[in-house]
Amino acid sequence: MSEPRFLCLSLPDLDLQLVRRRENIPTGVPLLIVESDRPSARVQACNTAAAQLGVGIGIRYSAALSLSGTIRAGVVAEHERAQAVTEIRALLGELLPGVDVWQLNTTVFWGDVRGMRGLGVGSSAWFRTLTETISRAGWSGGVALGWTRPGTFCAARVAAPQAA
């Protein structure tokens, strides 16, 4: 079989990760992303801990707070997300010659690994180095190698952990 052509990194909970990093919120604390900094704002995303309390996307922040006083929330500005995408792209660029961000979903990154077989790309040691580099930088996502962009995207999404 031919060598893989693509690497995909999927960070489906990027906004939750940004707020967790910015506010230094421990894993396991119920966390929400809201559309604005006001009680009537709607929830745009929530982690597993918040969902277990009954929080759902679309409810008002004030309603979520009525479920538990331990819930934390944050707003992610577009410039903050863009800065994170630039940071992640640069991080991957240290290990791959070319990195693309999917224009339809800026939480998905692809690297072209064709011709890198002699550099150890695809080996378990290289893959481990890549995932450890991403983790040390404070990001959590799914990574997959494969032959097509759609295939690697699906595999990376399955491998991505849910926001705790």
Side-chain angles (χ1 to χ4, degrees):
M1 186 176 280
S2 65
E3 64 184 66
R5 297 178 57 191
F6 298 104
L7 174 132
C8 181
L9 168 63
S10 176
L11 302 165
D13 300 314
L14 180 63
D15 287 354
L16 289 166
Q17 292 184 53
L18 284 168
V19 171
R20 184 177 307 285
R21 288 174 66 176
R22 181 181 68 213
E23 305 295 329
N24 198 24
I25 299 171
T27 302
V29 171
L31 180 60
L32 314 175
I33 301 300
V34 291
E35 61 190 0
S36 62
D37 191 14
R38 61 183 209 280
S40 62
R42 293 202 180 271
V43 173
Q44 295 177 316
C46 65
N47 67 358
T48 302
Q52 289 173 344
L53 293 171
V55 175
I57 294 172
I59 72 167
R60 303 267 182 209
Y61 177 43
S62 56
L65 281 175
S66 72
L67 298 172
S68 173
T70 63
I71 290 176
R72 302 279 303 273
V75 177
V76 177
E78 189 57 42
H79 75 276
E80 187 178 6
R81 189 178 300 110
Q83 184 178 1
V85 168
T86 299
E87 176 189 328
I88 295 162
R89 189 175 188 167
L91 183 71
L92 290 175
E94 294 174 10
L95 298 166
L96 296 165
V99 177
D100 295 325
V101 179
W102 190 10
Q103 296 304 312
L104 297 177
N105 183 344
T106 58
T107 67
V108 178
F109 303 81
W110 276 290
D112 189 341
V113 297
R114 289 176 287 194
M116 295 184 63
R117 189 80 160 157
L119 301 175
V121 170
S123 72
S124 59
W126 180 86
F127 200 78
R128 189 171 43 255
T129 298
L130 176 82
T131 56
E132 287 172 357
T133 300
I134 293 164
S135 180
R136 271 195 310 274
W139 302 110
S140 177
V143 182
L145 283 170
W147 292 266
T148 67
R149 285 183 183 229
T152 56
F153 170 66
C154 290
R157 284 295 271 215
V158 168
Q162 288 187 313

